[in-house]
Amino acid sequence: MDDTSLVRPDEDIGLARTRVRFLTSESIEPDTVRDTILASWLRSREFHVPADRIELPYVPDHDPETPLMRAGEPVLARLSEQLDGQAISLILTDPTGLVLSRQTGDPDLNRHLETVELAPGFSYGERFVGTNGIGTALEEGRPSHVFGHEHYAENLENLACAGAPIRHPITGKTVGAVDLTCWRRDAGQLLVLLAKSTAEQIRQALLSYTHSQELLLFQAYLRACQRSTGAVIAFRDDVVMMNDRARKLLDAADQAVVLAHADQALSGGSSTTISVSLPTGGKARLHCRRVHGERRGRTLGGVVHVDLIDADALGGDMMGGSLPTFLPGVIGSTPLWLRCCRDVDAACGRGEWLILAGEPGTGRYTLARCAQQRHRPTGRLHAVDATSDDDWLARVRRDLVEDPVDALVIRNADQLSDDRLATLTTILEQVDTGRHAGAPWIAMTLSPDSTTDTRLVRLLALFPRTVHLPPLRQRAEDLRELVPLLLSKLGHGDRLTYSPAAIHLLMRASWPGNVAQLYDMLKNVARRRRAGTIRPADLPPEFRALNRRPLNRLESAERDAVVQSLDDAEGNKMRAATLLGISRATLYRKIHEYDIVLSGH
């Protein structure tokens, strides 16, 4: 091996201290650990990987005759002969990090790897053992090296490992990983280069184990890409190939819809063109063509050209149902939220009375208002709150009978007394009886559980559809879009942004008040920081701790006091403990008890 170490001894000592500071939730200095390693440490902590022991799942049996094994074993055997018994282990894994084979030329290293369960049948995925050459390479999707104290688990600190994903030569899909592991003292740049070249050799060897059907499909796919500058997808069974244009235009949900419709369309002919609606709200025209095998009549798969099109260009019916191109003012792209947008839009378009069930702050009224604006941009929409408007019944009669509006949203009807509920139901029954084409569209907001309330049976019978809006905690990914929108509404859109660490903390919060709570929180944050980047230290204490159980009032106050003292002491644990009048050991225990994230992370 190359004698040139990638980390000098003084740097190694500093890295060991940085790792301990990270594991004890202390702030760490910038540039003391590589970005790739810090990101992996954060994932490992999120996975709750133990840092003081190795606890791995074991899979006793695996198929030794897979293409990966048949292609990889000869490559690793040749490399083992070239290394001539040096203290280095050559490891092959599946795409989850499950070790398939291990070849080790040194007895001492071999025995040590047995003690840390780096052996066939054990999974070295990052979620089980934390930062390591195998799991981190698979998580990052690129070659990774992890040396010494960069490992998350202390049992691996005397090792160095370099891993590289192995990609299928046809589909590009990750089919496994190769890892080279040696003693930390022996590690050098050569280890990383060997891992990358070995992965490439195995990728090339996989070509000889690729089915001829896949090769023919691949050739058809290449021809299609050469003839088109648009999005191209080829598929058969579990094999899917797509060009960069398709990856950029279509997200995972869109891709699934395209493949499903293309497969169905080709079941009835050799080529066809269809139009489909996409889950993200767009629409596409698919030009589908079968790929035939060398034997006449044998189908190997299909090739699809995808063109995004405007809704007005379609005419006629759409496969997959009608989706809105967008709802003005509505933000979010998670499938559950998009389905709600589609259902509300469809009901509004048909004039179908609608129940919007969900927790307060989930956007029930906003969704109804935006659907109304999309279908009747010049129409009048009124809203009445059955719990706060004193003259709400008179307003309902006026908006539905005396001076009808285009749309009416009745909020919180489930909180009415029995008498008022009966009166409202009678009014709506009368309107429903005389309903005509231009009658008002009515949406009603209810709490999630009220749709099964026996008091509301007569009222609910007037509303043929109920849409259940998900709480914000069930679509946390939408925070990446919601936060910039709300900051813009607060007048800070061009001056105030957020850091990845801050959005990570917001995404793991429970949000009992949903989007309304998010808006209020950002408004308070913007009062203190009007420009720059929102960082964890700018967030309220409750968002800097992950509560695995509900806290009582005393515990919440204690948590907030710990967070505030750490901020006042600029992360210095001794000073924070002194400010609180407790020992440093007690402070550490409180940090771990409330899972407090420090602003330095």
Side-chain angles (χ1 to χ4, degrees):
M1 292 296 297
D2 185 357
D3 292 332
T4 304
S5 174
L6 294 182
V7 181
R8 298 194 309 269
D10 58 331
E11 293 175 336
D12 200 36
I13 294 172
L15 182 60
R17 291 172 178 166
T18 298
R19 177 181 172 276
V20 171
R21 289 174 67 86
F22 178 87
L23 292 175
T24 55
S25 293
E26 293 192 57
S27 59
I28 58 178
E29 296 297 325
D31 302 323
T32 55
V33 60
R34 292 187 290 130
D35 290 343
T36 299
I37 298 301
L38 180 57
S40 177
W41 284 358
L42 290 168
R43 289 195 300 267
S44 303
R45 184 160 63 186
E46 284 294 305
F47 292 146
H48 302 292
V49 175
D52 58 347
R53 61 190 183 278
I54 300 290
E55 295 179 350
L56 306 182
Y58 178 68
V59 179
D61 301 312
H62 60 269
D63 185 3
E65 295 301 318
T66 62
L68 177 63
M69 288 288 287
R70 295 198 302 270
E73 286 290 88
V75 174
L76 296 181
R78 288 195 301 270
L79 180 58
S80 181
E81 291 176 1
Q82 294 169 6
L83 294 173
D84 193 22
Q86 292 192 50
I88 184 169
S89 183
L90 312 177
I91 297 159
L92 185 67
T93 81
D94 75 0
T96 69
L98 178 70
V99 178
L100 303 176
S101 71
R102 186 189 73 200
Q103 301 181 31
T104 310
D106 179 74
D108 291 338
L109 178 61
N110 196 62
R111 282 191 293 271
H112 181 70
L113 296 183
E114 289 289 337
T115 64
V116 296
E117 298 179 345
L118 185 46
F122 290 97
S123 177
Y124 253 67
E126 207 175 61
R127 64 180 56 249
F128 300 118
V129 76
T131 309
N132 74 96
I134 296 169
T136 303
L138 290 170
E139 286 286 340
E140 293 282 335
R142 60 184 177 178
S144 300
H145 64 275
V146 181
F147 287 3
H149 300 295
E150 291 180 331
H151 287 93
Y152 191 80
E154 63 184 31
N155 310 63
L156 306 177
E157 288 180 314
N158 58 349
L159 296 174
C161 51
I166 302 169
R167 303 193 185 281
H168 193 280
I170 301 297
T171 66
K173 181 180 178 182
T174 298
V175 294
V178 62
D179 174 79
L180 278 64
T181 294
C182 66
W183 296 113
R184 171 64 189 89
R185 62 178 181 270
D186 299 330
Q189 186 66 46
L190 180 60
L191 195 70
V192 181
L193 297 176
L194 273 177
K196 293 169 66 175
S197 64
T198 304
E200 175 59 23
Q201 292 177 48
I202 296 175
R203 189 187 76 85
Q204 293 291 338
L206 277 168
L207 272 174
S208 60
Y209 296 98
T210 301
H211 297 302
S212 60
Q213 295 96 322
E214 291 181 1
L215 288 173
L216 290 171
L217 180 63
F218 182 53
Q219 292 169 358
Y221 164 72
L222 289 178
R223 288 194 298 270
C225 290
Q226 292 168 357
R227 297 169 182 168
S228 173
T229 59
V232 178
I233 302 177
F235 64 95
R236 71 174 291 271
D237 298 333
D238 61 345
V239 175
V240 177
M241 294 170 271
M242 67 181 69
N243 60 3
D244 288 339
R245 182 68 173 163
R247 291 188 182 93
K248 292 176 181 178
L249 286 179
L250 308 170
D251 71 0
D254 290 341
Q255 293 167 18
V257 168
V258 167
L259 289 171
H261 282 300
D263 186 46
Q264 180 182 1
L266 288 176
S267 64
S270 294
S271 64
T272 186
T273 298
I274 59 174
S275 297
V276 300
S277 294
L278 302 175
T280 52
K283 295 174 174 65
R285 181 172 287 116
L286 312 183
H287 307 278
C288 312
R289 180 175 58 83
R290 280 185 183 177
V291 177
H292 297 283
E294 295 176 345
R295 287 187 296 172
R296 187 175 181 180
R298 184 174 184 182
T299 300
L300 301 181
V303 174
V304 186
H305 295 259
V306 184
D307 295 323
L308 296 188
I309 52 179
D310 295 329
D312 294 339
L314 292 174
D317 296 333
M318 293 288 298
M319 295 187 65
S322 178
L323 291 175
T325 305
F326 70 98
L327 286 180
V330 173
I331 288 293
S333 56
T334 53
L336 189 58
W337 179 249
L338 289 174
R339 192 180 308 121
C340 289
C341 293
R342 178 197 65 194
D343 292 344
V344 173
D345 181 80
C348 182
R350 293 191 297 266
E352 185 178 74
W353 290 8
L354 178 70
I355 296 290
L356 290 161
E359 298 176 4
T362 51
R364 296 170 296 180
Y365 170 71
T366 298
L367 207 53
R369 176 175 53 81
C370 291
Q372 158 69 11
Q373 288 177 351
R374 171 172 141 77
H375 288 280
R376 305 174 186 86
T378 60
R380 290 187 302 154
L381 178 142
H382 287 178
V384 295
D385 191 329
T387 61
S388 60
D389 295 342
D390 293 334
D391 61 342
W392 69 273
L393 276 176
R395 292 185 58 190
V396 167
R397 287 193 181 94
R398 183 189 64 209
D399 291 340
L400 294 180
V401 179
E402 299 168 7
D403 183 19
V405 296
D406 293 276
L408 177 67
V409 179
I410 303 172
R411 308 171 78 168
N412 304 312
D414 51 319
Q415 299 181 32
L416 291 171
S417 65
D418 290 346
D419 291 342
R420 292 192 169 192
L421 184 62
T423 302
L424 173 63
T425 303
T426 300
I427 294 173
L428 294 181
E429 286 174 339
Q430 293 171 352
V431 172
D432 182 55
T433 301
R435 198 179 345 171
H436 52 84
W441 176 59
I442 300 177
M444 188 163 61
T445 70
L446 302 176
S447 60
D449 300 330
S450 60
T451 55
T452 58
D453 189 342
T454 55
R455 294 191 318 124
L456 303 178
V457 171
R458 185 176 148 211
L459 177 63
L460 294 176
L462 300 170
F463 293 81
R465 179 187 288 265
T466 299
V467 175
H468 292 269
L469 272 62
L472 184 56
R473 59 184 172 274
Q474 291 182 9
R475 57 184 192 103
E477 287 294 328
D478 285 343
L479 281 163
R480 299 185 189 277
E481 301 173 61
L482 281 167
V483 170
L485 173 69
L486 297 180
L487 288 175
S488 178
K489 286 186 175 182
L490 289 166
H492 300 274
D494 57 343
R495 303 191 307 275
L496 195 56
T497 61
Y498 59 84
S499 69
I503 200 68
H504 175 76
L505 293 179
L506 297 181
M507 288 173 66
R508 73 177 195 170
S510 59
W511 296 109
N514 296 291
V515 179
Q517 181 188 2
L518 173 65
Y519 180 81
D520 290 339
M521 185 275 294
L522 290 174
K523 182 164 61 175
N524 290 329
V525 168
R527 287 172 182 163
R528 299 188 300 273
R529 175 176 288 281
R530 288 175 291 278
T533 302
I534 298 173
R535 303 191 183 279
D538 299 312
L539 301 178
E542 62 265 27
F543 296 98
R544 306 253 302 275
L546 178 60
N547 301 321
R548 306 187 189 286
R549 58 179 176 81
L551 302 181
N552 59 38
R553 187 173 301 177
L554 181 60
E555 290 172 324
S556 296
E558 183 179 61
R559 175 205 60 202
D560 294 354
V562 170
V563 171
Q564 187 60 53
S565 69
L566 288 166
D567 283 346
D568 293 342
E570 298 181 344
N572 185 293
K573 304 294 190 304
M574 185 62 73
R575 286 174 53 199
T578 301
L579 289 172
L580 288 169
I582 59 178
S583 68
R584 191 179 184 189
T586 300
L587 179 64
Y588 275 122
R589 181 167 56 82
K590 295 299 180 183
I591 290 173
H592 285 286
E593 180 179 345
Y594 297 124
D595 201 2
I596 294 172
V597 177
L598 303 180
S599 59
H601 290 170

